[in-house]
Amino acid sequence: MYKIIDGKKLAAEMRVSIKSNVEEFKSKSGKDIGLAVVLVGDNPASQVYVRNKIKACEEVGIKSYAYYLSAETSQEELEDLLRGLAVDDNINGILVQLPLPKHLDAGRALKLIPDSKDVDGFSPNNIGKLCMNSESLVACTPNGVMKMLEAEHIDLKGKNAVVVGRSNIVGRPMAMLLLNADATVTICHSKTKNLKEQCLKADVLVAAIGKSKFIKADMIKDGAIVIDVGMNRDENGKLCGDVDFENLKEKCSYITPVPGGVGPMTITMLMYNTYIAATRS
């Protein structure tokens, strides 16, 4: 019998704890904790994400600073804003909502965010520290996955973990976190040969490829722990993940749903990172 890992429930519990920690920090320091969110253009999905982040800030007592820039914003204008936020003592975390309009160089802009305010955990230094298993701000989605596994008291030591996907946002940091937890890690991607064979070895399978219902029942072994990071639409327009949930859930020991699994944890971990950044400033 499989168990669903309820990310929505865990995220709600964590936000209560984060709110308490934020209140204690403000009481002791006499300072607010501030998160700056920068949105360039009018991408509808990005607008929803930004609204959800601002709402989460309100929920846990973090002060949000939202900067809405037009789609015609120049590289220089964006960089000037980020330089100002980098030295603003009221700002503990800076987040640039991606993707940016095509004429803007995201890599160049993100380099202006100090490592100490990089609450997305994307900077080369923070990624490097993660690889060295030293203190850093960790990418929110992979860190959320680890919190979900911890909440279920799943011991990763010695387990075979397979990560399908190698993005800088999820796949690579996910692999590093699993490795730091003493799992034996395999990273698979679009060029991997015998993908099914690799997946069948997994005690823990993390799917992060962005392909609707790609992981099928014949790709996992009995008793596998399956973590679905995907957020897609199926043929009927219904939200679904990278995992064919209904057809493989019975083979799992644990599985995350979509929606209500990893998704709610991502913004919660952003709140957590912002709080941690404030305590280290």
Side-chain angles (χ1 to χ4, degrees):
M1 181 65 184
Y2 66 93
K3 180 178 181 182
I4 288 179
I5 306 177
D6 189 341
K8 189 174 182 180
K9 179 174 180 286
L10 178 59
E13 292 170 355
M14 284 194 67
R15 289 190 192 193
V16 171
S17 175
I18 293 167
K19 182 178 181 179
S20 175
N21 289 336
V22 168
E23 287 173 352
E24 183 180 359
F25 174 89
K26 288 160 73 171
S27 175
K28 288 182 177 178
S29 68
K31 297 178 181 178
D32 280 321
I33 296 177
L35 172 65
V37 182
V38 179
L39 174 63
V40 186
D42 51 10
N43 181 300
S46 292
Q47 289 177 335
V48 171
Y49 292 142
V50 167
R51 281 200 300 271
N52 288 341
K53 287 163 185 174
I54 292 171
K55 185 178 177 181
C57 284
E58 292 172 358
E59 186 180 337
V60 302
I62 290 173
K63 190 170 183 180
S64 61
Y65 299 81
Y67 297 86
Y68 298 97
L69 308 181
S70 76
E72 289 72 40
T73 296
S74 69
Q75 186 79 27
E76 290 69 28
E77 289 170 327
L78 175 59
E79 291 183 6
D80 283 346
L81 172 61
L82 292 175
R83 287 190 188 94
L85 295 174
V87 297
D88 188 336
D89 290 338
N90 294 314
I91 304 297
N92 302 103
I94 303 170
L95 182 150
V96 176
Q97 186 64 48
L98 302 176
L100 291 174
K102 290 181 179 179
H103 69 282
L104 296 175
D105 185 333
R108 215 174 94 188
L110 294 176
K111 284 179 183 176
L112 297 173
I113 300 175
D115 296 331
S116 60
K117 297 187 180 185
D118 169 40
V119 287
D120 262 334
F122 292 167
S123 77
N125 282 340
N126 277 325
I127 291 288
K129 288 176 183 177
L130 174 61
C131 291
M132 296 175 71
N133 200 14
S134 60
E135 185 179 272
S136 65
L137 291 170
V138 180
C140 298
T141 299
N143 208 11
V145 170
M146 296 304 289
K147 295 294 184 186
M148 295 172 82
L149 295 171
E150 289 170 20
E152 297 297 337
H153 307 290
I154 294 169
D155 185 1
L156 293 167
K157 290 184 181 67
K159 281 189 168 56
N160 289 323
V162 174
V163 179
V164 186
R166 56 177 170 179
S167 73
N168 292 334
I169 295 171
V170 179
R172 293 171 194 258
M174 186 76 256
M176 287 300 107
L177 284 167
L178 290 164
L179 187 62
N180 292 345
D182 295 324
T184 300
V185 183
T186 301
I187 306 176
C188 298
H189 47 81
S190 60
K191 301 297 188 293
T192 297
K193 295 179 180 178
N194 303 317
L195 176 62
K196 178 179 174 181
E197 182 181 314
Q198 296 294 338
C199 291
L200 283 167
K201 298 175 185 176
D203 300 311
V204 180
L205 178 72
V206 181
I209 49 176
K211 291 187 177 181
S212 176
K213 302 180 184 178
F214 181 83
I215 303 296
K216 305 295 185 185
D218 64 354
M219 296 174 71
I220 67 162
K221 69 179 183 181
D222 289 340
I225 298 162
V226 176
I227 307 294
D228 191 349
V229 181
M231 184 65 75
N232 314 296
R233 296 277 178 182
D234 66 13
E235 61 278 5
N236 300 313
K238 185 180 177 183
L239 276 176
C240 68
D242 292 344
V243 171
D244 189 6
F245 182 88
E246 290 300 329
N247 291 316
L248 62 67
K249 62 186 180 183
E250 297 293 344
K251 292 184 73 174
C252 303
S253 56
Y254 294 87
I255 187 169
T256 62
V258 176
V262 176
M265 291 297 295
T266 298
I267 292 180
T268 297
M269 296 313 298
L270 174 65
M271 299 300 105
Y272 175 81
N273 276 357
T274 305
Y275 163 71
I276 292 297
T279 65
R280 294 176 183 169
S281 63

